[in-house]
């Protein structure tokens, strides 16, 4: 009885797996025939019935991209990007392309980088990361990836355009460096000028303080001299008054004289 039950389980599993495989095969065939709308339904069934089939997820993501369902494509790729094994570079690269098309340049660069980590010779990932870096203004990083792309895809039909991008990026980088150098020099000159002005202000303040102190000392000296002059004048007046009082004590006034009548006689 146990053998029969086990055999029945094996049969059901085999049938289920075969059913899933049929959906995958049909979806793959429609995909190869460039019939994404018809492929989508079969591939959705295939990934639902066999979540371990990374290839089915990859095909479904591509189909969604073809249909313009970028959010759905990103969701599908995210489900398997960290467990894709030998297909990690493909899945991560596709996810990077979706993020790029959605305008998420930082995430795009991240997933292109994951693809390159899985396979550093993956030319498409280098091209994708170069474009995402260029859109973020990272000219040096973009040029480096463009060069890597040409190294791993020397016969690429896009070679002329990539070489043009490299030349333009280098020219832009050189111009940015020139502007940066000019701005740095201007900042240095401004700092020097500000320091000169600060020192000049400090010197002016120092001289003003010295002048204020000189004027204060001069004012104090003038006040002292004026006080001395006034004191001397008072002393002179007091001395003059004292001298006048002394002279009056020696004389006889008319009011002090008695009337003398008669004649003086000589003996």
């Amino acid at each position: 009885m146990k053998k029969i039950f086990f055999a029945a389980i094996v049969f059901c599993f085999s049938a289920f797996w075969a059913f899933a495989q049929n959906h995958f095969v049909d979806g793959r065939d429609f995909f190869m025939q460039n019939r994404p709308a018809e492929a989508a339904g079969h591939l959705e069934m295939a990934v639902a019935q066999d979540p371990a089939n990374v290839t089915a997820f990859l095909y479904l993501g591509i189909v969604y991209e073809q249909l313009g369902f970028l959010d759905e494509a990103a969701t599908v790729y995210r489900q398997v990007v960290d467990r894709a094994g030998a297909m990690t570079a493909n899945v991560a690269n596709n996810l990077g392309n979706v993020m790029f098309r959605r305008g998420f340049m930082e995430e795009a660069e991240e997933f292109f980088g994951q693809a390159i980590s899985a396979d550093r010779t993956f030319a498409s990932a280098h091209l994708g990361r170069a474009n995402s870096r260029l859109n973020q203004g990272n000219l040096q990083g973009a040029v480096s990836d463009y060069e890597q792309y040409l190294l791993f895809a020397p016969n690429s039909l896009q070679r002329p355009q990539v070489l043009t991008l490299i030349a333009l990026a280098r020219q832009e980088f050189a111009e940015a460096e020139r502007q940066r150098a000019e701005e740095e020099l201007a900042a240095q000159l401004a700092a020097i000028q500000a320091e000169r002005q600060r020192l000049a202000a400090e010197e002016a303040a120092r001289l003003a303080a010295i002048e204020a102190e000189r004027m204060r000392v001069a004012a104090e000296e003038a006040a002292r001299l004026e006080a001395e002059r006034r004191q001397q004048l008072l002393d002179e007046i007091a001395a003059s008054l004292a001298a006048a009082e002394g002279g009056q004590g020696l004389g006889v006034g008319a009011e002090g004289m008695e009337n003398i009548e008669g004649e003086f006689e000589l003996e």
Side-chain angles (χ1 to χ4, degrees):
M1 185 68 180
K2 290 182 178 180
K3 292 182 178 179
I4 295 175
F5 181 73
F6 179 74
I9 292 176
V10 172
F11 175 77
C12 290
F13 178 78
S14 299
F16 182 81
W17 183 83
F19 185 66
Q21 280 298 105
N22 287 337
H23 276 297
F24 171 70
V25 171
D26 290 341
R28 182 194 61 192
D29 290 343
F30 283 124
F31 173 80
M32 294 298 182
Q33 296 168 25
N34 196 27
R35 297 161 67 182
E38 296 166 90
H42 290 284
L43 292 171
E44 288 169 350
M45 291 294 295
V47 300
Q49 294 167 353
D50 184 12
N53 190 342
V54 176
T55 304
F57 278 92
L58 181 62
Y59 285 168
L60 180 59
I62 296 173
V63 164
Y64 281 153
E65 286 190 68
Q66 291 174 330
L67 295 173
F69 303 152
L70 298 184
D71 290 345
E72 290 80 358
T75 299
V76 168
Y77 291 139
R78 287 182 186 276
Q79 291 179 35
V80 293
V81 67
D82 293 326
R83 59 181 179 88
M87 302 186 72
T88 297
N90 300 83
V91 176
N93 182 68
N94 286 9
L95 186 51
N97 283 324
V98 171
M99 292 298 105
F100 186 90
R101 290 174 64 185
R102 293 173 69 193
F104 302 139
M105 297 301 158
E106 290 185 5
E107 291 187 61
E109 181 180 354
E110 176 186 347
F111 288 115
F112 286 130
Q114 186 174 347
I116 293 168
S117 295
D119 180 5
R120 77 176 190 87
T121 66
F122 202 142
S124 296
H126 283 288
L127 180 61
R129 191 168 71 174
N131 291 334
S132 62
R133 285 177 167 177
L134 187 65
N135 274 273
Q136 295 177 81
N138 182 359
L139 301 180
Q140 281 186 308
V143 168
S144 176
D145 270 322
Y146 282 134
E147 290 173 341
Q148 291 295 301
Y149 170 72
L150 294 179
L151 176 66
F152 298 123
N155 299 319
S156 170
L157 295 177
Q158 300 185 69
R159 185 179 184 85
Q161 293 89 337
V162 172
L163 288 173
T164 299
L165 281 174
I166 290 175
L168 290 175
R170 284 178 173 164
Q171 181 179 351
E172 185 69 20
F173 178 71
E175 177 62 19
E177 279 296 296
R178 185 188 65 78
Q179 290 182 357
R180 185 194 62 78
E182 287 183 354
E183 290 172 358
E184 183 177 336
L185 178 59
Q188 290 176 352
L189 292 176
I192 292 172
Q193 181 64 18
E195 180 64 10
R196 285 177 178 172
Q197 291 176 350
R198 185 188 68 80
L199 293 175
E202 287 184 356
E203 180 64 11
R206 187 183 69 82
L207 294 175
I210 292 173
E211 179 63 15
E213 179 64 12
R214 187 191 66 78
M215 292 177 67
R216 184 189 67 79
V217 171
E220 287 183 355
E221 180 64 13
R224 186 185 66 79
L225 293 174
E226 177 63 16
E228 288 181 354
R229 187 187 68 79
R230 288 181 179 178
Q231 186 61 46
Q232 184 179 0
L233 181 59
L234 290 174
D235 290 345
E236 289 177 355
I237 293 173
S240 176
L241 290 175
E245 286 291 333
Q248 288 179 0
L250 296 175
V252 179
E255 65 276 9
M257 297 181 63
E258 296 179 357
N259 293 325
I260 301 176
E261 297 181 0
E263 298 179 358
F264 288 96
E265 294 181 359
L266 294 176
E267 294 182 355

